[in-house]
């Protein structure tokens, strides 16, 4: 089962010319640009080129837009842990699969992951999303511990610190990776995994 098949299809609602998916995509751009708290329904309507009442044909509230947007990032991230490749086999390979899949989700859903990473926890929706994100972090931390115990990873670094550094490397992609940049998504994935597991030393050192 691959992460691309894990996201349920978006429901289509609203007036002709608009659907929930397009409204959501533009809303996330505005949230990321101005911040969720500072974004009013009026500002969203202005960016969409429709009235505020038209937005309510798609979603009941700004909070529902946020929940839907965060699910675009969290659902595929959570699904990685349910994939057989994350649960069967030696811990190092399962950890590599988890990290590769996380990179792919970030690249494919970059604006939604950006929103997730910028949450402040000011609302119940945000706090719930942060709890779900921490649960994903714990899955990786558990894999790090297993890999240390089986001897495939060094054990002199605290697994929680290792997990934070791994995610710090991956999450930094939202700040600089661009699909039209000098490196492809596939190259970034390979470079990141190689650096995280083999370091920066030359192979013949």
């Amino acid at each position: 089962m691959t992460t691309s098949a894990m996201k349920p299809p978006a429901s289509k609602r609203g007036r002709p010319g608009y659907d929930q998916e397009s409204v959501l995509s533009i809303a996330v751009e505005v949230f990321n640009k101005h911040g969720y708290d500072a974004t009013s329904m009026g500002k969203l309507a202005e960016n969409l080129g429709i009235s505020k009442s038209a937005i309510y044909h798609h979603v009941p509230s700004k909070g529902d837009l946020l929940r839907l947007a965060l699910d675009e990032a969290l659902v595929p991230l959570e699904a990685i842990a349910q994939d057989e490749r994350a649960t069967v086999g030696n811990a190092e390979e399962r950890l590599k699969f988890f990290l590769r899949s996380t990179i792919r989700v970030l690249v494919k859903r970059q604006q939604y992951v950006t929103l997730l990473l910028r949450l402040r926890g000011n609302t119940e929706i945000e706090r719930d999303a942060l709890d779900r994100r921490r649960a994903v972090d714990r899955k990786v931390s558990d894999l790090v511990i297993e890999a240390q115990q089986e001897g495939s990873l060094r054990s002199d670094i605290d697994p929680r610190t290792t997990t934070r550094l791994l995610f710090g490397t991956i999450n930094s992609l939202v700040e600089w990776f661009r699909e039209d940049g000098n490196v492809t998504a596939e190259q970034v994935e390979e470079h990141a995994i190689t650096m995280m597991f083999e370091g920066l030393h030359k192979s013949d050192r």
Side-chain angles (χ1 to χ4, degrees):
M1 183 176 183
T2 61
T3 56
S4 62
M6 295 167 183
K7 173 182 167 290
S11 59
K12 306 287 186 180
R13 298 181 57 193
R15 296 181 175 179
Y18 296 95
D19 58 34
Q20 190 180 83
E21 186 176 354
S22 60
V23 169
L24 188 61
S25 178
I26 294 173
V28 171
E29 290 181 12
V30 181
F31 289 158
N32 285 336
K33 181 178 181 180
H34 300 286
Y36 173 73
D37 291 335
T39 300
S40 65
M41 291 296 273
K43 189 181 293 290
L44 287 175
E46 179 182 344
N47 280 267
L48 286 163
I50 59 177
S51 67
K52 286 194 291 184
S53 61
I55 298 178
Y56 292 119
H57 282 273
H58 301 280
V59 289
S61 68
K62 189 178 79 165
D64 287 284
L65 274 173
L66 178 64
R67 182 183 292 107
L68 289 168
L70 292 172
D71 274 347
E72 289 288 328
L74 285 165
V75 169
L77 287 173
E78 291 169 330
I80 296 170
Q82 306 305 316
D83 192 293
E84 183 179 4
R85 289 166 290 182
T87 59
V88 177
N90 72 72
E92 181 182 5
E93 290 306 312
R94 285 185 282 140
L95 178 59
K96 285 183 178 180
F97 167 77
F98 208 117
L99 297 176
R100 283 184 181 277
S101 299
T102 300
I103 293 171
R104 292 172 188 173
V105 170
L106 187 150
V107 169
K108 185 176 182 180
R109 306 182 184 279
Q110 189 167 352
Q111 64 175 350
Y112 298 104
V113 177
T114 298
L115 179 64
L116 174 63
L117 295 177
R118 292 178 179 175
L119 291 183
R120 297 182 178 180
N122 293 332
T123 67
E124 184 177 349
I125 293 171
E126 293 175 82
R127 290 189 289 272
D128 177 67
L130 289 173
D131 285 342
R132 292 167 66 186
R133 178 187 166 192
R134 282 190 284 268
V136 173
D137 292 352
R138 286 194 293 271
K139 295 287 187 180
V140 172
S141 184
D142 289 343
L143 284 174
V144 170
I145 292 172
E146 286 188 53
Q148 289 177 334
Q149 291 174 342
E150 71 181 18
S152 55
L153 290 186
R154 56 189 298 169
S155 58
D156 58 331
I157 301 177
D158 175 69
R160 290 170 297 180
T161 300
T162 299
T163 301
R164 292 189 181 102
L165 291 171
L166 292 172
F167 275 123
T169 298
I170 293 172
N171 292 341
S172 71
L173 293 176
V174 302
E175 303 297 335
W176 63 266
F177 177 74
R178 298 294 178 268
E179 290 186 357
D180 59 352
N182 296 325
V183 292
T184 67
E186 292 77 14
Q187 288 173 324
V188 166
E189 179 184 322
E190 289 302 322
H191 295 337
I193 295 298
T194 298
M195 187 185 75
M196 288 187 285
F197 283 87
E198 299 179 24
L200 295 174
H201 287 149
K202 295 173 63 176
S203 59
D204 59 351
R205 178 167 174 165

